[in-house]
Amino acid sequence: MELNNYRSILSTLIESEILLSTPQNATCDNVKCTPEQFASPALDHTFSAHPPLWNYENPTYSYPYAQTGLPKVFETLPPTSDVTEVLTKTRLLVFLGAANTPTFRRCLAEPGVFILIFESNASRVAHFASQVRPSRLVNRALILLGNPDELIPPLSDILPPNLFNLGFPVFFTLPEMATPQQAKKTIEAIEILFYRYRIYSLSGQGNFCNLPMRPIRKELFYDQQFHFYSNIKEYLRWLSIQPLRKAFLGETAVLVAAGPDLPNHLQYLRNVRDSAVIIAVNNALKPLLQAGIHPQFVVANDTSVHTTRSWEGLDPVPDVYLVAHCLTNMGGNIFPRKFIFGNHKPEIFGTRPELRLHGSVISTAFSLARHMGCAKCVFVGAQLSSPDPWTMSYSKGSIHENRATNHDRPLTDRWPQLVPVKDMAGKTCYTTLNFLDAAHWLRDDIRTAQIPCVNISSQTILHGPGITLHPDYPIQPTGRLPLRLQRISSATEKRPALEPVGEFVKHELREWINIENEVASVLQTTGDDFFTRAKKTLDQFDANNVTYLVQRFDNFNNKRFHADVFESKSKDVIAEGLRSYFSKVFQMAKIMQSSLVSNFQ
């Protein structure tokens, strides 16, 4: 077959959306090998028996269901697994190396299977496609040509989340496939996406109190709903982040997180404070203030009640602006001016610009710098890792300051040990799956934003294309920073109309009064009437988000509630479970009413 025919095959694959490639392979000009170089049959793909990332996840989440007989969300297969055994466990297969091997043919013939193929050699892809008709690959396979770190758009945007509903990814490799290091990077990239789309939805703060035991409506969880009501006055008073858009065009942003080496860089921050826009994450604010360093901005996006600890004990800081998600705690009177991003009930409170964020608030800080028009970003304390295999480490003075652990404890290479990773200097450190995912996400965001970034610490897992190491990076002031800060201090914006907000608050208050009255009536019912009335009301609360709210309220034990009410055969146990549930709803309704009244008068 002529080389031009090989190039034509690749073009057909690209047009059929079977092949995606890095920019340097997009024209197919890298096909330079002759067919004879691939004439000998490739060795078979072999099952990869590497320890998967989910070894470091709580095994509770591998089977979070109340019912039996469902497939596990994830599991670690025996190292001796063959292709037939693999196909009983998952329908998502990843082949490292493009070749029409017996294992590949067996998997392609299996109904419902989707195959990802990673290959760095365009000629090998062309030879593979000359043996496997493209029509057999349509909607069944996707070939990714080149280094996954160089794909545009990034892998996380190429692969849809629902792909991972097919099951956990299992890998097969060719003996001649790339280097072990490149294979490991590719495997990690896919496994971290599986974590992002399947495991985090169970273990993350939105759902870990509500494993999928039965269908219920899920909107805001309790912390978010409480903050929403608490922030109503804030929505009426403060601006969105729209006035910050390109307000610092050309400036350098210094993004400060609360990693354990933050104290080593405090003098650097003092030196650059007047030359750069310093954006601190909420957890880094206390150690900075204790060192006499006031960032111009602090950003908060954690919508859980734990954010409150970031502000506890702080006096007002008149020169620090807060940029906060609309559903987080906004620090009361600590900040002289606040900018709000994110939306809930935009039909009442107006639509605000969003910030891209994922996994860690340092991603929000980068998104804010990008929104502001900053030309470069310098990361300080953004390590996302720990020297301790058993717990994450944070800066002295932060709300998560280091806790002593048993460093002599033998490693287990599985949960609750943290994930071993390499930092920028190539040294082993440890991190959570959530932070590893956040690092992957932020690397992709940095690369696609094409904003040059510097990390001043090598003890970080935030490294890759677009990020360089410079321990004492000098920042040349533009001379325009003071004027720009002055301008945003006087920015104005149209605020929400007061009357619709007032009507909304009255409506919400009536809803919670009705919930309180309904629960009180149920709790006063006895005998068989109680079970009939309780079941009907529980169904209503499952359908209108009340159940989802109460699952994060006041240490409510959802697992015990489900066991008592849906699994027990004892009427006394069922009744006790229902009464405990309704008592929590009653208390929650009182708190929600109080929050609405006190925050809108």
Side-chain angles (χ1 to χ4, degrees), residues 396-444:
K396 181 179 180 181
S398 70
I399 62 173
H400 300 301
E401 186 173 340
N402 294 353
R403 299 181 298 273
T405 63
N406 181 5
H407 294 277
D408 295 328
R409 183 178 175 182
L411 298 181
T412 61
D413 292 326
R414 60 181 58 251
W415 187 87
Q417 181 195 312
L418 301 181
V419 186
V421 288
K422 297 292 185 182
D423 65 16
M424 209 173 195
K427 295 182 179 179
T428 299
C429 56
Y430 300 87
T431 191
T432 63
L433 285 174
N434 180 55
F435 276 167
L436 182 58
D437 180 28
H440 275 262
W441 188 94
L442 188 48
R443 290 173 199 160
D444 284 343

Short mmCIF file of all heavy atoms in Angstrom, two decimals, residues 396-444:
data_model
loop_
_atom_site.label_atom_id
_atom_site.label_comp_id
_atom_site.label_asym_id
_atom_site.label_seq_id
_atom_site.Cartn_x
_atom_site.Cartn_y
_atom_site.Cartn_z
N LYS A 396 1.12 26.06 58.58
CA LYS A 396 0.94 26.46 59.97
C LYS A 396 0.06 27.70 60.01
O LYS A 396 0.22 28.63 59.25
CB LYS A 396 2.29 26.77 60.61
CG LYS A 396 2.20 27.17 62.07
CD LYS A 396 3.58 27.44 62.66
CE LYS A 396 3.46 27.84 64.12
NZ LYS A 396 4.79 28.14 64.71
N GLY A 397 -0.92 27.68 60.91
CA GLY A 397 -1.83 28.81 61.06
C GLY A 397 -3.08 28.71 60.23
O GLY A 397 -4.01 29.50 60.41
N SER A 398 -3.14 27.73 59.31
CA SER A 398 -4.35 27.57 58.50
C SER A 398 -5.38 26.75 59.28
O SER A 398 -5.07 26.15 60.31
CB SER A 398 -4.02 26.87 57.18
OG SER A 398 -3.69 25.52 57.41
N ILE A 399 -6.60 26.72 58.76
CA ILE A 399 -7.66 26.02 59.50
C ILE A 399 -7.48 24.50 59.46
O ILE A 399 -8.10 23.78 60.23
CB ILE A 399 -9.06 26.39 58.97
CG1 ILE A 399 -9.22 25.99 57.51
CG2 ILE A 399 -9.32 27.86 59.14
CD1 ILE A 399 -10.63 26.19 56.97
N HIS A 400 -6.61 24.01 58.56
CA HIS A 400 -6.33 22.57 58.50
C HIS A 400 -4.88 22.30 58.86
O HIS A 400 -4.25 21.41 58.28
CB HIS A 400 -6.62 22.03 57.10
CG HIS A 400 -8.04 22.22 56.65
ND1 HIS A 400 -9.11 21.69 57.32
CD2 HIS A 400 -8.56 22.90 55.60
CE1 HIS A 400 -10.23 22.02 56.69
NE2 HIS A 400 -9.93 22.75 55.65
N GLU A 401 -4.36 23.06 59.80
CA GLU A 401 -2.94 22.93 60.15
C GLU A 401 -2.59 21.48 60.44
O GLU A 401 -3.39 20.70 60.93
CB GLU A 401 -2.63 23.78 61.38
CG GLU A 401 -1.17 23.83 61.74
CD GLU A 401 -0.88 24.83 62.88
OE1 GLU A 401 -1.71 25.72 63.11
OE2 GLU A 401 0.17 24.70 63.52
N ASN A 402 -1.33 21.14 60.11
CA ASN A 402 -0.87 19.74 60.17
C ASN A 402 -1.24 19.05 61.48
O ASN A 402 -1.15 19.63 62.56
CB ASN A 402 0.66 19.69 60.02
CG ASN A 402 1.09 20.14 58.65
OD1 ASN A 402 0.27 20.37 57.79
ND2 ASN A 402 2.39 20.27 58.46
N ARG A 403 -1.62 17.79 61.32
CA ARG A 403 -1.84 16.93 62.48
C ARG A 403 -0.76 15.85 62.48
O ARG A 403 -0.43 15.27 61.45
CB ARG A 403 -3.23 16.27 62.41
CG ARG A 403 -4.36 17.25 62.41
CD ARG A 403 -5.69 16.53 62.36
NE ARG A 403 -5.85 15.74 61.15
CZ ARG A 403 -6.32 16.23 60.02
NH1 ARG A 403 -6.66 17.50 59.93
NH2 ARG A 403 -6.44 15.46 58.95
N ALA A 404 -0.22 15.55 63.66
CA ALA A 404 0.83 14.53 63.76
C ALA A 404 0.24 13.15 63.49
O ALA A 404 -0.86 12.82 63.94
CB ALA A 404 1.46 14.57 65.14
N THR A 405 0.97 12.34 62.74
CA THR A 405 0.54 10.97 62.49
C THR A 405 1.70 10.02 62.72
O THR A 405 2.83 10.45 62.95
CB THR A 405 0.03 10.80 61.04
OG1 THR A 405 1.13 11.06 60.15
CG2 THR A 405 -1.09 11.75 60.71
N ASN A 406 1.42 8.74 62.63
CA ASN A 406 2.45 7.73 62.85
C ASN A 406 3.22 7.52 61.54
O ASN A 406 2.81 6.78 60.66
CB ASN A 406 1.80 6.42 63.30
CG ASN A 406 2.83 5.33 63.57
OD1 ASN A 406 4.04 5.58 63.50
ND2 ASN A 406 2.36 4.15 63.89
N HIS A 407 4.35 8.22 61.40
CA HIS A 407 5.12 8.15 60.16
C HIS A 407 5.78 6.79 59.97
O HIS A 407 6.22 6.47 58.87
CB HIS A 407 6.17 9.26 60.14
CG HIS A 407 5.57 10.64 60.08
ND1 HIS A 407 5.17 11.23 58.91
CD2 HIS A 407 5.28 11.52 61.07
CE1 HIS A 407 4.68 12.43 59.16
NE2 HIS A 407 4.74 12.63 60.46
N ASP A 408 5.88 6.00 61.02
CA ASP A 408 6.52 4.69 60.91
C ASP A 408 5.54 3.60 60.50
O ASP A 408 5.91 2.44 60.35
CB ASP A 408 7.18 4.31 62.25
CG ASP A 408 8.32 5.26 62.60
OD1 ASP A 408 8.97 5.75 61.67
OD2 ASP A 408 8.53 5.49 63.80
N ARG A 409 4.30 3.97 60.35
CA ARG A 409 3.27 3.00 59.95
C ARG A 409 3.60 2.44 58.57
O ARG A 409 3.89 3.20 57.64
CB ARG A 409 1.92 3.73 59.92
CG ARG A 409 0.72 2.86 59.61
CD ARG A 409 -0.52 3.75 59.68
NE ARG A 409 -1.72 3.04 59.27
CZ ARG A 409 -2.92 3.62 59.21
NH1 ARG A 409 -3.04 4.90 59.53
NH2 ARG A 409 -3.98 2.93 58.84
N PRO A 410 3.59 1.15 58.40
CA PRO A 410 3.96 0.57 57.09
C PRO A 410 2.94 0.93 56.02
O PRO A 410 1.73 0.98 56.27
CB PRO A 410 3.97 -0.93 57.36
CG PRO A 410 3.11 -1.12 58.57
CD PRO A 410 3.29 0.11 59.41
N LEU A 411 3.44 1.18 54.82
CA LEU A 411 2.56 1.52 53.70
C LEU A 411 1.74 0.30 53.28
O LEU A 411 2.22 -0.83 53.33
CB LEU A 411 3.39 2.03 52.52
CG LEU A 411 4.21 3.30 52.75
CD1 LEU A 411 4.95 3.69 51.48
CD2 LEU A 411 3.33 4.44 53.22
N THR A 412 0.52 0.56 52.87
CA THR A 412 -0.38 -0.52 52.44
C THR A 412 -0.71 -0.44 50.96
O THR A 412 -1.25 -1.38 50.40
CB THR A 412 -1.69 -0.45 53.23
OG1 THR A 412 -2.33 0.82 52.97
CG2 THR A 412 -1.45 -0.59 54.73
N ASP A 413 -0.44 0.71 50.34
CA ASP A 413 -0.78 0.95 48.93
C ASP A 413 -2.26 0.77 48.67
O ASP A 413 -2.67 0.34 47.59
CB ASP A 413 0.05 0.05 48.01
CG ASP A 413 1.52 0.43 48.01
OD1 ASP A 413 1.81 1.64 48.15
OD2 ASP A 413 2.37 -0.45 47.90
N ARG A 414 -3.07 1.14 49.63
CA ARG A 414 -4.52 1.15 49.46
C ARG A 414 -5.12 2.01 50.57
O ARG A 414 -4.45 2.36 51.54
CB ARG A 414 -5.12 -0.25 49.48
CG ARG A 414 -4.91 -1.07 50.73
CD ARG A 414 -5.53 -2.46 50.58
NE ARG A 414 -4.99 -3.18 49.43
CZ ARG A 414 -5.66 -3.43 48.31
NH1 ARG A 414 -6.89 -3.01 48.16
NH2 ARG A 414 -5.10 -4.10 47.33
N TRP A 415 -6.40 2.36 50.40
CA TRP A 415 -7.10 3.19 51.38
C TRP A 415 -6.98 2.57 52.78
O TRP A 415 -7.04 1.35 52.91
CB TRP A 415 -8.58 3.29 50.98
CG TRP A 415 -9.38 4.23 51.80
CD1 TRP A 415 -9.54 5.56 51.62
CD2 TRP A 415 -10.15 3.88 52.96
NE1 TRP A 415 -10.36 6.08 52.59
CE2 TRP A 415 -10.75 5.08 53.43
CE3 TRP A 415 -10.38 2.69 53.66
CZ2 TRP A 415 -11.57 5.10 54.55
CZ3 TRP A 415 -11.20 2.72 54.77
CH2 TRP A 415 -11.79 3.91 55.20
N PRO A 416 -6.75 3.41 53.83
CA PRO A 416 -6.77 4.87 53.87
C PRO A 416 -5.44 5.56 53.56
O PRO A 416 -5.33 6.78 53.77
CB PRO A 416 -7.21 5.15 55.31
CG PRO A 416 -6.60 4.03 56.09
CD PRO A 416 -6.68 2.82 55.20
N GLN A 417 -4.45 4.82 53.10
CA GLN A 417 -3.22 5.49 52.67
C GLN A 417 -3.54 6.44 51.51
O GLN A 417 -4.43 6.16 50.70
CB GLN A 417 -2.17 4.46 52.23
CG GLN A 417 -0.85 5.08 51.80
CD GLN A 417 0.03 4.12 51.03
OE1 GLN A 417 0.23 2.98 51.45
NE2 GLN A 417 0.54 4.56 49.89
N LEU A 418 -2.80 7.54 51.41
CA LEU A 418 -2.95 8.47 50.30
C LEU A 418 -2.24 7.93 49.06
O LEU A 418 -1.43 7.00 49.13
CB LEU A 418 -2.40 9.84 50.68
CG LEU A 418 -3.04 10.51 51.90
CD1 LEU A 418 -2.42 11.88 52.15
CD2 LEU A 418 -4.55 10.65 51.74
N VAL A 419 -2.53 8.54 47.92
CA VAL A 419 -1.99 8.09 46.65
C VAL A 419 -0.53 8.54 46.51
O VAL A 419 -0.24 9.73 46.64
CB VAL A 419 -2.78 8.68 45.47
CG1 VAL A 419 -2.31 8.08 44.15
CG2 VAL A 419 -4.27 8.46 45.66
N PRO A 420 0.41 7.64 46.24
CA PRO A 420 1.78 8.06 45.99
C PRO A 420 1.91 8.68 44.60
O PRO A 420 1.44 8.12 43.61
CB PRO A 420 2.59 6.76 46.09
CG PRO A 420 1.61 5.67 45.79
CD PRO A 420 0.27 6.16 46.22
N VAL A 421 2.53 9.86 44.54
CA VAL A 421 2.71 10.58 43.28
C VAL A 421 4.11 11.21 43.28
O VAL A 421 4.80 11.21 44.31
CB VAL A 421 1.64 11.68 43.09
CG1 VAL A 421 0.28 11.07 42.79
CG2 VAL A 421 1.54 12.56 44.33
N LYS A 422 4.51 11.75 42.14
CA LYS A 422 5.79 12.43 42.03
C LYS A 422 5.56 13.94 41.98
O LYS A 422 4.68 14.42 41.26
CB LYS A 422 6.53 11.98 40.76
CG LYS A 422 6.89 10.51 40.74
CD LYS A 422 7.95 10.16 41.78
CE LYS A 422 8.36 8.70 41.64
NZ LYS A 422 9.37 8.32 42.67
N ASP A 423 6.37 14.68 42.74
CA ASP A 423 6.26 16.12 42.67
C ASP A 423 7.09 16.67 41.52
O ASP A 423 7.65 15.91 40.72
CB ASP A 423 6.63 16.77 44.00
CG ASP A 423 8.10 16.57 44.39
OD1 ASP A 423 8.92 16.18 43.52
OD2 ASP A 423 8.43 16.80 45.57
N MET A 424 7.21 17.97 41.42
CA MET A 424 7.89 18.60 40.30
C MET A 424 9.37 18.22 40.24
O MET A 424 9.98 18.20 39.17
CB MET A 424 7.75 20.12 40.40
CG MET A 424 7.78 20.86 39.10
SD MET A 424 7.39 22.61 39.39
CE MET A 424 7.03 23.15 37.72
N ALA A 425 9.95 17.89 41.41
CA ALA A 425 11.36 17.50 41.48
C ALA A 425 11.56 16.01 41.28
O ALA A 425 12.68 15.52 41.33
CB ALA A 425 11.95 17.95 42.82
N GLY A 426 10.46 15.27 41.09
CA GLY A 426 10.56 13.82 40.90
C GLY A 426 10.58 13.03 42.19
O GLY A 426 10.80 11.82 42.16
N LYS A 427 10.32 13.69 43.32
CA LYS A 427 10.30 13.00 44.61
C LYS A 427 8.90 12.48 44.91
O LYS A 427 7.90 13.08 44.53
CB LYS A 427 10.77 13.94 45.72
CG LYS A 427 12.22 14.39 45.57
CD LYS A 427 12.61 15.29 46.74
CE LYS A 427 14.07 15.73 46.61
NZ LYS A 427 14.48 16.63 47.72
N THR A 428 8.84 11.36 45.63
CA THR A 428 7.55 10.79 46.00
C THR A 428 6.89 11.61 47.09
O THR A 428 7.51 11.94 48.10
CB THR A 428 7.72 9.33 46.47
OG1 THR A 428 8.27 8.55 45.40
CG2 THR A 428 6.39 8.74 46.89
N CYS A 429 5.65 11.94 46.88
CA CYS A 429 4.82 12.57 47.90
C CYS A 429 3.46 11.90 47.83
O CYS A 429 3.29 10.89 47.12
CB CYS A 429 4.73 14.08 47.68
SG CYS A 429 4.12 14.54 46.04
N TYR A 430 2.48 12.42 48.54
CA TYR A 430 1.19 11.72 48.64
C TYR A 430 0.06 12.73 48.53
O TYR A 430 0.19 13.90 48.91
CB TYR A 430 1.11 10.96 49.98
CG TYR A 430 2.20 9.94 50.12
CD1 TYR A 430 3.45 10.29 50.64
CD2 TYR A 430 2.02 8.63 49.67
CE1 TYR A 430 4.47 9.36 50.73
CE2 TYR A 430 3.04 7.70 49.75
CZ TYR A 430 4.27 8.07 50.29
OH TYR A 430 5.29 7.15 50.37
N THR A 431 -1.06 12.26 48.01
CA THR A 431 -2.20 13.15 47.85
C THR A 431 -3.49 12.36 47.88
O THR A 431 -3.48 11.13 47.83
CB THR A 431 -2.08 13.94 46.53
OG1 THR A 431 -3.07 14.98 46.51
CG2 THR A 431 -2.29 13.04 45.31
N THR A 432 -4.60 13.08 47.95
CA THR A 432 -5.92 12.44 47.87
C THR A 432 -6.31 12.30 46.41
O THR A 432 -5.79 13.00 45.53
CB THR A 432 -6.98 13.28 48.59
OG1 THR A 432 -7.10 14.55 47.92
CG2 THR A 432 -6.62 13.52 50.05
N LEU A 433 -7.24 11.42 46.14
CA LEU A 433 -7.76 11.31 44.78
C LEU A 433 -8.40 12.61 44.33
O LEU A 433 -8.30 13.01 43.16
CB LEU A 433 -8.77 10.16 44.69
CG LEU A 433 -8.18 8.75 44.68
CD1 LEU A 433 -9.30 7.71 44.73
CD2 LEU A 433 -7.32 8.52 43.44
N ASN A 434 -9.06 13.31 45.25
CA ASN A 434 -9.68 14.58 44.91
C ASN A 434 -8.65 15.61 44.47
O ASN A 434 -8.83 16.32 43.47
CB ASN A 434 -10.48 15.11 46.11
CG ASN A 434 -11.15 16.43 45.80
OD1 ASN A 434 -11.89 16.56 44.84
ND2 ASN A 434 -10.87 17.44 46.61
N PHE A 435 -7.54 15.71 45.20
CA PHE A 435 -6.51 16.69 44.83
C PHE A 435 -5.75 16.26 43.57
O PHE A 435 -5.33 17.10 42.78
CB PHE A 435 -5.55 16.91 45.99
CG PHE A 435 -6.02 17.91 47.00
CD1 PHE A 435 -5.40 18.02 48.24
CD2 PHE A 435 -7.08 18.74 46.73
CE1 PHE A 435 -5.84 18.96 49.17
CE2 PHE A 435 -7.54 19.67 47.66
CZ PHE A 435 -6.91 19.78 48.88
N LEU A 436 -5.56 14.96 43.38
CA LEU A 436 -4.93 14.50 42.14
C LEU A 436 -5.82 14.86 40.95
O LEU A 436 -5.33 15.33 39.92
CB LEU A 436 -4.70 12.99 42.20
CG LEU A 436 -4.00 12.36 40.99
CD1 LEU A 436 -2.64 12.99 40.74
CD2 LEU A 436 -3.87 10.85 41.17
N ASP A 437 -7.11 14.68 41.11
CA ASP A 437 -8.06 15.06 40.08
C ASP A 437 -8.01 16.57 39.84
O ASP A 437 -8.00 17.04 38.69
CB ASP A 437 -9.46 14.62 40.49
CG ASP A 437 -10.53 14.98 39.46
OD1 ASP A 437 -10.20 15.06 38.27
OD2 ASP A 437 -11.69 15.16 39.86
N ALA A 438 -7.96 17.35 40.93
CA ALA A 438 -7.89 18.81 40.81
C ALA A 438 -6.63 19.24 40.06
O ALA A 438 -6.67 20.17 39.25
CB ALA A 438 -7.94 19.45 42.19
N ALA A 439 -5.51 18.57 40.34
CA ALA A 439 -4.26 18.90 39.65
C ALA A 439 -4.37 18.62 38.16
O ALA A 439 -3.95 19.43 37.32
CB ALA A 439 -3.10 18.12 40.26
N HIS A 440 -4.96 17.48 37.81
CA HIS A 440 -5.17 17.16 36.39
C HIS A 440 -6.05 18.22 35.73
O HIS A 440 -5.76 18.69 34.62
CB HIS A 440 -5.82 15.78 36.24
CG HIS A 440 -4.86 14.64 36.25
ND1 HIS A 440 -4.39 14.06 35.09
CD2 HIS A 440 -4.26 13.98 37.27
CE1 HIS A 440 -3.55 13.08 35.39
NE2 HIS A 440 -3.45 13.00 36.71
N TRP A 441 -7.14 18.57 36.37
CA TRP A 441 -8.09 19.53 35.82
C TRP A 441 -7.42 20.89 35.62
O TRP A 441 -7.57 21.53 34.57
CB TRP A 441 -9.29 19.67 36.75
CG TRP A 441 -10.42 20.48 36.19
CD1 TRP A 441 -11.52 20.01 35.52
CD2 TRP A 441 -10.57 21.91 36.26
NE1 TRP A 441 -12.34 21.06 35.17
CE2 TRP A 441 -11.78 22.22 35.60
CE3 TRP A 441 -9.81 22.93 36.80
CZ2 TRP A 441 -12.24 23.53 35.48
CZ3 TRP A 441 -10.25 24.24 36.68
CH2 TRP A 441 -11.46 24.53 36.03
N LEU A 442 -6.66 21.33 36.64
CA LEU A 442 -6.05 22.65 36.56
C LEU A 442 -4.93 22.68 35.52
O LEU A 442 -4.74 23.68 34.82
CB LEU A 442 -5.53 23.06 37.94
CG LEU A 442 -5.01 24.50 38.09
CD1 LEU A 442 -5.99 25.51 37.50
CD2 LEU A 442 -4.74 24.81 39.56
N ARG A 443 -4.17 21.58 35.39
CA ARG A 443 -3.16 21.53 34.33
C ARG A 443 -3.81 21.72 32.97
O ARG A 443 -3.29 22.47 32.12
CB ARG A 443 -2.44 20.17 34.36
CG ARG A 443 -1.53 19.92 35.54
CD ARG A 443 -1.08 18.47 35.47
NE ARG A 443 -0.57 17.98 36.74
CZ ARG A 443 -0.48 16.71 37.07
NH1 ARG A 443 -0.87 15.77 36.22
NH2 ARG A 443 0.00 16.34 38.25
N ASP A 444 -4.93 21.05 32.73
CA ASP A 444 -5.62 21.20 31.45
C ASP A 444 -6.12 22.63 31.26
O ASP A 444 -6.05 23.18 30.16
CB ASP A 444 -6.81 20.23 31.38
CG ASP A 444 -6.40 18.79 31.11
OD1 ASP A 444 -5.25 18.58 30.67
OD2 ASP A 444 -7.23 17.89 31.35
#
